[in-house]
Amino acid sequence: MGATPMAEPRTRIALITGASRGIGAETARLLGTRGHHVIINYREKQRRARDVAATVAAAGGSACTVRADITDTADITDTADVTAMFDEIRARHGRLDALVLNASGGLEVGADPGYAMRVNRDAPNRLVDAALPLLAPGSRIVFVTSHQAHFVARRDVPAAYRPVAESKRAGEDDMRCRATELAEHGIGLSIVSGDMVDGTIVVRLLQRRDPAAVAARRAALPLPTVTEFATAVADEAARPGTEARTVFVGGSDYLTEDLTFTQ
Ligand SMILES: NC(=O)c1ccc[n+]([C@@H]2O[C@H](COP(=O)([O-])OP(=O)(O)OC[C@H]3O[C@@H](n4cnc5c(N)ncnc54)[C@H](OP(=O)(O)O)[C@@H]3O)[C@@H](O)[C@H]2O)c1
């Protein structure tokens, strides 16, 4: 009798929101090179998203792109974006193994006062609701955030960033409140929080609006690079088990404070 053939490990399918640039794009590249099929969500920068997918393919991985405004406010198709995105994922792949909640906003010129909460708290909740029927046991949700948001109750933040920080912290808290519900579905949860990340557009914008805030962080410690932060996000996306955990990248000075309340 011949040996029983080993089952091929199945390809993990990862949806990364806001992956047309920055940390999301780098996370997509990393997961693609590690053998995941990556679904690159973007809001409007289709060409950039396609370039990210092409880079993944050139490195031997597989990727596709899907447009959706996660807040559904820039709907140009007359169909709710988030619903349409998950309908497409269901039809093409039938399941998801990782949902990386990376897209974020609130600093956009002309954004209304409620936008930060819609994009950073309400949209992640809605994405989780929509993804739940597709997320297989053994899958993981990763919520990407910043130290300025995670520690907003403890540390001062630049005035321009406060609505973003407060709304991201609210989104993070909502995710953590859902950890038991997720674990019951066999889904793990990771919160990945980073210091300002060198080379990102957000930090370049902040540098223009509030140079002292960026200079203060640089003086404290070297800032993490996009690759360092995205590596932590990709590691969590591939992590097995239903444990809920929080991972910090850079900014170890934040961590020397008493965190029992905020963690
Ligand atoms: N930058 C930092 O220093 C830093 C530090 C710590 C944590 N983080 C966190 O890391 C994550 C990524 O940051 P980043 O600096 O790489 O961001 P970014 O360069 O501003 O990229 C934002 C991405 O999100 C997409 N996006 C924005 N609004 C969207 C919406 N309503 N619907 C769908 N997609 C939307 C954009 O798509 P389009 O281009 O198509 O519009 C783009 O792909 C965020 O959660 C951020 O808080 C960043």
Side-chain angles (χ1 to χ4, degrees):
M1 206 177 9
T4 312
M6 295 278 285
E8 284 279 317
R10 70 178 193 183
T11 301
R12 280 176 71 89
I13 298 167
L15 168 63
I16 303 152
T17 64
S20 58
R21 74 177 196 197
I23 292 148
E26 184 65 6
T27 303
R29 287 188 203 103
L30 289 167
L31 286 174
T33 58
R34 295 178 188 184
H36 297 239
H37 174 77
V38 286
I39 305 171
I40 296 161
N41 158 253
Y42 65 96
R43 175 185 47 179
E44 51 183 27
K45 301 290 187 303
Q46 185 186 59
R47 222 175 81 192
R48 277 200 214 138
R50 287 187 173 167
D51 286 349
V52 177
T55 308
V56 172
S62 75
C64 61
T65 63
V66 57
R67 195 200 77 79
D69 182 328
I70 59 166
T71 65
D72 273 344
T73 47
D75 190 358
I76 53 168
T77 61
D78 221 22
T79 314
D81 280 15
V82 170
T83 306
M85 174 167 73
F86 283 102
D87 284 350
E88 193 177 329
I89 293 170
R90 184 179 300 104
R92 278 204 201 180
H93 307 288
R95 65 163 212 285
L96 268 181
D97 300 291
L99 169 64
V100 180
L101 299 166
N102 168 77
S104 178
L107 285 175
E108 295 86 345
V109 178
D112 69 76
Y115 183 71
M117 279 294 175
R118 288 203 302 281
V119 71
N120 297 323
R121 180 197 60 191
D122 302 344
N125 271 298
R126 181 141 176 258
L127 287 162
V128 169
D129 290 340
L132 265 182
L134 286 176
L135 285 163
S139 57
R140 186 159 278 268
I141 293 174
V142 183
F143 183 88
V144 181
T145 192
S146 63
H147 286 4
Q148 289 191 315
H150 181 82
F151 296 102
V152 67
R154 294 295 183 94
R155 284 251 189 131
D156 226 10
V157 294
Y161 191 73
R162 178 158 287 278
V164 179
E166 287 176 344
S167 58
K168 285 186 75 73
R169 179 69 211 211
E172 175 187 337
D173 288 342
D174 278 7
M175 289 302 119
R176 210 172 271 113
C177 285
R178 299 186 70 167
T180 306
E181 173 199 357
L182 297 175
E184 281 166 6
H185 286 85
I187 301 164
L189 171 71
S190 296
I191 311 288
V192 182
S193 178
D195 199 353
M196 285 179 193
V197 176
D198 225 354
T200 57
I201 290 170
V202 174
V203 169
R204 260 181 262 152
L205 281 177
L206 201 57
Q207 170 88 45
R208 248 183 266 154
R209 288 190 192 188
D210 192 347
V214 180
R217 289 312 306 148
R218 280 193 201 286
L221 284 163
L223 301 181
T225 64
V226 172
T227 301
E228 282 165 351
F229 190 46
T231 298
V233 176
D235 288 349
E236 290 307 305
R239 191 180 179 80
T242 56
E243 179 199 9
R245 49 191 252 126
T246 306
V247 172
F248 298 98
V249 181
S252 56
D253 55 318
Y254 281 91
L255 307 177
T256 53
E257 295 171 7
D258 174 14
L259 301 179
T260 45
F261 173 71
T262 51
Q263 280 191 58

